[in-house]
């Protein structure tokens, strides 16, 4: 269904980009540059402190967004994520949707922020440069990013001890 595609696009977007709830809720169609199959796209977001940044969209995020937006003939100024009634999805509704799927997946007590955290952890696992992670997450200070990184390392250590 259309809502299933929307929800998948939402979750992929959070997981593959580490965007904040407010950033995703504020997205307009004109903010997206979806790649052709198999290459990198981009999304421009308004981050904290009115700072605009561009984040890469991998093929998974692009595919999910393309599938969701397939039938939409809307101007670039319309919101990416719409409710059943055609209005913009509120941050609250986005949180509810994400929580529903995380609960179904057996992840309890999780939220949109958990997905941001998961994204950061994956980047650390891949050995991504701290500055690149900082840029992706839109952190003003490298200090904030290094907290994420040390948390990610702790989690990795826990999971590596059997």
């Amino acid at each position: 269904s259309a809502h299933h595609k929307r929800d998948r696009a939402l979750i992929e977007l959070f997981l593959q980009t580490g965007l904040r709830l407010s950033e995703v809720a504020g997205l307009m169609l004109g903010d997206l540059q979806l790649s052709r199959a198999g290459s990198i796209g981009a999304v421009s977001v308004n981050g904290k402190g009115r700072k605009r940044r561009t984040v890469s969209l991998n093929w998974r995020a692009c595919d999910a967004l393309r599938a969701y937006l397939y039938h939409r003939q809307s101007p670039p100024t319309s919101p990416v994520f719409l409710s059943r009634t055609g209005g913009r999805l509120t941050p609250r509704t986005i949180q509810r949707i994400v929580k529903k799927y995380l609960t179904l997946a057996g992840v309890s007590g999780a939220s949109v922020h958990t997905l941001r955290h998961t994204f950061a952890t994956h980047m650390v696992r891949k050995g991504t440069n701290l500055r690149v992670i900082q840029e992706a997450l839109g952190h003003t200070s490298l200090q904030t990013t290094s907290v994420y990184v040390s948390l990610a390392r702790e989690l990795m250590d826990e999971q590596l001890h059997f």
Side-chain angles (χ1 to χ4, degrees):
S1 81
H3 293 295
H4 184 75
K5 285 179 179 161
R6 178 201 65 196
D7 298 351
R8 181 172 167 258
L10 258 176
I11 288 167
E12 284 294 355
L13 189 59
F14 280 120
L15 263 181
Q16 306 301 334
T17 62
L19 291 177
R20 296 179 178 99
L21 177 61
S22 60
E23 294 168 345
V24 170
L27 280 182
M28 300 296 200
L29 289 175
D31 296 331
L32 297 175
Q33 291 148 30
L34 300 182
S35 64
R36 298 289 140 245
S39 66
I40 299 285
V43 57
S44 296
V45 295
N46 295 313
K48 274 189 176 168
R50 294 201 179 280
K51 278 222 287 283
R52 208 154 162 76
R53 73 183 192 286
T54 302
V55 178
S56 297
L57 288 178
N58 65 10
W59 65 269
R60 288 182 104 115
C62 285
D63 279 359
L65 283 160
R66 214 181 290 106
Y68 166 55
L69 297 170
Y70 187 70
H71 293 294
R72 289 264 294 278
Q73 298 295 318
S74 313
T77 51
S78 54
V80 173
F81 294 106
L82 300 177
S83 68
R84 286 178 202 279
T85 56
R88 178 193 290 279
L89 275 190
T90 64
R92 194 123 191 98
T93 306
I94 293 172
Q95 277 177 314
R96 254 202 311 274
I97 291 166
V98 169
K99 212 167 178 55
K100 177 179 92 176
Y101 287 98
L102 289 172
T103 307
L104 283 173
V107 186
S108 60
S111 65
V112 167
H113 203 74
T114 310
L115 298 182
R116 185 167 157 83
H117 211 82
T118 303
F119 165 80
T121 306
H122 282 311
M123 285 188 92
V124 171
R125 277 209 174 113
K126 287 193 304 200
T128 308
N129 178 303
L130 204 57
R131 290 255 176 234
V132 174
I133 299 175
Q134 176 189 12
E135 183 59 35
L137 294 172
H139 287 157
T140 319
S141 107
L142 202 57
Q143 190 66 45
T144 314
T145 312
S146 54
V147 170
Y148 257 94
V149 169
S150 51
L151 277 170
R153 291 217 174 96
E154 269 173 47
L155 279 171
M156 282 158 59
D157 288 349
E158 276 171 34
Q159 287 163 11
L160 291 172
H161 292 296
F162 359 157

